[in-house]
Amino acid sequence: MARADDRDARAGEPDPVGEPGRERAGGTGRPHPEGSASEQAGGPARDQAGGGAREQGGAADLQAFAVQLRRMNGEVNRLVHGFAGEHGLHATDVQALAAILDAPEPLTPGRLREHLGLTSGAVTACLDRLERAGHIRRVRESPDRRVVHLHWVPDARSAARAHFRPLAEVTASVRSGFSEDELTVVLRFLTAMNERLSGVRSPGR
């Protein structure tokens, strides 16, 4: 029953947490009066982050994509850190909340650990903080009582929804300026990026 309740609560409502990404730390992401922080990072560094080469063709080159993706990630991280600070959480805790919300079926701690790329101990500490703060509950709902599933607490959604409402409103406003065909391409690009990035690991790991 708890699983069905979560899916019902999720249906038809905007994602309050959005996709904060997997950054564990990040700046404010605020634009600088003379350009974004990403744009001031320096030519060689930017070229390397952008793939080391610019395709011919103007605005849609690799560096332009890299700059805008970093800037959007920074802006989302700014909201994530603000929510975390207001609720005595870590930024990673908010990423865990987003993962629990977005999962097509209730996550286990093990699946969450794989998603976040953390150790078992770090995930346990994260879940302890979230449970103490009243954001999630651990439920043993399968025949195997050793299996734990993670669920949002319905009453905790309102705080997240209020904090991230500006993100939902900006998204809706920007979407209105694009055609359905354009939005389909944008969504396909973002989906492909997320799928490919999920398999990327830092050097040495």
Side-chain angles (χ1 to χ4, degrees):
M1 178 63 75
R3 182 179 305 177
D5 291 342
D6 281 1
R7 282 197 290 265
D8 291 340
R10 184 183 303 145
E13 70 178 41
D15 178 357
V17 179
E19 179 65 27
R22 297 190 178 178
E23 291 287 330
R24 285 163 179 72
T28 63
R30 294 180 182 277
H32 189 278
E34 298 179 3
S36 71
S38 299
E39 293 170 321
Q40 298 178 45
R46 289 188 312 180
D47 288 343
Q48 184 176 6
R54 293 173 67 102
E55 294 181 3
Q56 300 299 318
D61 62 20
L62 289 176
Q63 179 179 323
F65 273 102
V67 168
Q68 294 304 323
L69 288 171
R70 284 196 300 268
R71 181 174 177 182
M72 184 172 68
N73 185 65
E75 295 294 345
V76 173
N77 272 337
R78 177 169 56 84
L79 293 172
V80 167
H81 281 270
F83 181 82
E86 288 178 7
H87 294 270
L89 303 173
H90 298 177
T92 303
D93 301 340
V94 184
Q95 294 173 19
L97 283 174
I100 294 169
L101 176 69
D102 293 340
E105 58 186 24
L107 289 178
T108 63
R111 293 289 302 279
L112 181 63
R113 177 183 61 78
E114 294 173 1
H115 179 80
L116 296 177
L118 300 177
T119 64
S120 296
V123 167
T124 297
C126 168
L127 295 176
D128 287 344
R129 287 190 297 268
L130 291 174
E131 196 164 38
R132 283 196 303 268
H135 289 284
I136 67 161
R137 53 195 173 92
R138 294 171 167 110
V139 179
R140 299 181 187 274
E141 57 191 357
S142 68
D144 185 347
R145 304 299 291 175
R146 296 172 298 177
V147 176
V148 174
H149 289 113
L150 308 172
H151 296 271
W152 268 73
V153 173
D155 290 344
R157 293 175 183 268
S158 59
R161 188 179 297 116
H163 184 89
F164 290 98
R165 182 172 292 114
L167 178 59
E169 291 173 347
V170 167
T171 303
S173 175
V174 172
R175 284 182 74 255
S176 68
F178 291 80
S179 70
E180 287 300 318
D181 288 343
E182 289 173 325
L183 290 173
T184 298
V185 173
V186 171
L187 186 59
R188 183 161 61 88
F189 170 77
L190 293 174
T191 300
M193 282 290 293
N194 285 325
E195 289 176 351
R196 295 289 291 273
L197 287 172
S198 68
V200 174
R201 295 293 179 267
S202 299
R205 291 191 61 183

